[in-house]
Amino acid sequence: MKTWVIFGAGGKGVGAHIADIGVTQQRPVVALVRSEEAANRLKEKGIKTIIGDAIDAKAVEAVLTLAGKEADIISTMGGENDYLAHRTVIDIAEKMDFQRMLMVSSLGCGDSWAALSDRAKAAFGQAVREKSLAEVWLQTSHFDYAIVRPGGLLNGEETGKAQLYQYEETHGLVNRRDVARLVTQLLEADLLGDQIYAVVEPGLAPSK
């Protein structure tokens, strides 16, 4: 069973849910996290951790070395250094001869920018532009890759109703747990195939 090395598993988002799925599958999981608290929480689940930041080349090299070059790289990172962090991970992983990477990005990135409302561009535009740069860095790497662009993220329970879309304008919401499940299903394929997917759950509304 392939090892997963996860960037972005230290919080309560999609990365953490992906890590939990890996643990349930009794899969080797390795993660780079920024705090000792997050490291201890993951270690209690049997996940190997390195404490550091993804913009730190030495920390990235350490976690990739721990995982081994046959591992699948999964990134759900965000934040103000989104592009720089992804560039660091991708550059070092290429030099270390890793082969596959899946990035969880966001609706509105890349060619889906035009689908964002003016209000969304004003609120999230800077973050989306950072993620778009990260996507391009992955797309121009040597990796077999997939990019998953979720809609608005909610913390509800997994419903199993979220869907992947390609080549069509997509809007909507999706639960983080459903995104995590779809990501792990994509990773089961022998080839990611350099594909980009949007993911939303049709008709999903925020709970009141």
Side-chain angles (χ1 to χ4, degrees):
M1 190 175 286
K2 259 194 171 185
T3 298
W4 290 343
V5 53
I6 306 176
F7 295 86
K12 298 180 180 178
V14 174
H17 295 311
I18 293 171
D20 286 342
I21 292 171
V23 170
T24 300
Q25 294 176 346
Q26 298 184 315
R27 178 187 299 276
V29 180
V30 182
L32 179 68
V33 296
R34 287 187 286 186
S35 73
E36 188 171 347
E37 178 187 359
N40 290 336
R41 186 171 65 249
L42 295 181
K43 284 177 183 176
E44 289 178 357
K45 299 178 180 182
I47 296 170
K48 296 179 180 179
T49 62
I50 296 287
I51 299 174
D53 197 297
I55 63 173
D56 180 352
K58 290 184 178 179
V60 172
E61 185 174 354
V63 76
L64 291 176
T65 299
L66 183 60
K69 69 178 184 179
E70 299 303 317
D72 281 340
I73 300 171
I74 305 166
S75 175
T76 65
M77 293 187 292
E80 61 181 348
N81 292 316
D82 195 327
Y83 167 59
L84 179 57
H86 278 101
R87 178 171 176 168
T88 302
V89 169
I90 291 164
D91 286 354
I92 292 173
E94 279 194 301
K95 290 177 183 176
M96 296 177 68
D97 204 29
F98 282 74
Q99 299 299 314
R100 301 210 319 166
M101 182 168 176
L102 189 148
M103 178 189 294
V104 178
S105 183
S106 174
L107 275 186
C109 288
D111 59 3
S112 65
W113 172 259
L116 285 183
S117 66
D118 290 341
R119 181 178 179 181
K121 287 176 181 176
F124 310 116
Q126 190 64 30
V128 169
R129 292 172 76 188
E130 282 271 342
K131 288 184 181 297
S132 295
L133 290 170
E135 285 189 4
V136 170
W137 208 258
L138 177 59
Q139 289 172 287
T140 53
S141 71
H142 76 215
F143 291 121
D144 171 32
Y145 70 85
I147 295 169
V148 175
R149 296 171 175 167
L153 290 164
L154 302 177
N155 287 320
E157 292 301 317
E158 184 178 340
T159 68
K161 297 178 181 178
Q163 297 180 21
L164 295 170
Y165 297 86
Q166 288 186 290
Y167 317 120
E168 59 183 288
E169 188 173 315
T170 308
H171 303 273
L173 304 173
V174 65
N175 289 313
R176 288 176 170 86
R177 286 178 172 84
D178 282 295
V179 177
R181 182 68 62 186
L182 288 171
V183 164
T184 63
Q185 290 172 1
L186 288 172
L187 289 166
E188 292 173 2
D190 292 333
L191 194 68
L192 295 175
D194 301 348
Q195 298 296 305
I196 300 176
Y197 304 91
V199 56
V200 299
E201 178 178 327
L204 182 64
S207 57
K208 296 181 179 179

